[in-house]
Amino acid sequence: MRSVIHLALIMVLALIVVGCAYSTQSALSEHDVKSIEVMTFGNTTYYNNLEGRLTQEIIKYINISPRLKVVREGGDAILSGNIYKVSNTGLTYDGKYQPRTLSTVISANYSLYDNKEGYFVVKGKDIASNQDSSVAGQFDTAKNEVYANAQEKAIAELAQTIVRTLASKW
């Protein structure tokens, strides 16, 4: 009987916490943001063209949204950011201690500026691919995958994560 009461109390507490965190309005919808300018991300790593690929992926995922339009300049909001770290971690190794499966994680920060109101909605937020412990950014040499595949997967996941995070703001 006590375990049933404890379980009921935990469920009630969980519902209260979830209910308090839920909101139907977002920061950007309050300001009627309909267009966004996506600046080319910076890249302080020694990996070439990550910034261009990330920027294009972000634009691709924003364009899927029916509510928001990407513009070249003069958007209601401006998204900018910088890639600052690429980490490669061996997950499994062969008999000669060579990595068989590797995981690539790309870390960046981004800012979202409300161009209409003149202030940062988000400033310098750190974010990384593989946030959800997914397999994006991994490659397996036994499957003849190459490192570039892992980078592409990590870039795509990072772009999705940034857009999904921003979507919670609009």
Side-chain angles (χ1 to χ4, degrees):
M1 182 66 178
R2 289 181 80 174
S3 61
V4 172
I5 292 172
H6 282 106
L7 181 59
L9 287 173
I10 291 171
M11 291 178 70
V12 167
L13 181 61
L15 286 172
I16 290 170
V17 168
V18 170
C20 290
Y22 181 75
S23 172
T24 57
Q25 273 198 331
S26 67
L28 291 183
S29 64
E30 292 172 8
H31 300 285
D32 197 32
V33 172
K34 293 185 176 133
S35 63
I36 185 166
E37 181 180 343
V38 180
M39 306 296 291
T40 300
F41 271 53
N43 180 5
T44 56
T45 73
Y46 59 88
Y47 293 93
N48 293 330
N49 199 30
L50 290 178
E51 66 280 3
R53 293 175 7 225
L54 177 60
T55 303
Q56 288 306 311
E57 285 291 310
I58 289 171
I59 290 170
K60 178 176 97 175
Y61 290 114
I62 289 174
N63 281 332
I64 293 171
S65 167
R67 189 187 170 292
L68 200 59
K69 178 175 133 182
V70 176
V71 296
R72 289 196 182 268
E73 55 184 60
D76 297 335
I78 300 170
L79 174 65
S80 61
N82 182 59
I83 299 168
Y84 63 85
K85 184 177 178 186
V86 177
S87 301
N88 300 301
T89 305
L91 300 176
T92 60
Y93 296 87
D94 64 16
K96 296 179 183 178
Y97 300 105
Q98 295 298 313
R100 181 173 170 242
T101 310
L102 283 147
S103 175
T104 298
V105 176
I106 299 175
S107 301
N109 58 48
Y110 71 92
S111 297
L112 184 68
Y113 185 77
D114 186 326
N115 213 19
K116 292 166 74 174
E117 301 292 326
Y119 73 95
F120 283 96
V121 177
V122 176
K123 187 170 184 179
K125 179 172 177 55
D126 287 325
I127 198 157
S129 61
N130 287 5
Q131 295 273 93
D132 302 321
S133 302
S134 70
V135 295
Q138 293 184 12
F139 75 102
D140 189 339
T141 57
K143 295 179 184 175
N144 292 324
E145 293 179 330
V146 294
Y147 177 66
N149 294 351
Q151 271 193 353
E152 290 304 317
K153 291 175 187 178
I155 286 287
E157 184 182 35
L158 180 58
Q160 288 176 19
T161 304
I162 289 171
V163 172
R164 186 173 50 245
T165 303
L166 287 175
S168 70
K169 304 272 182 223
W170 71 65

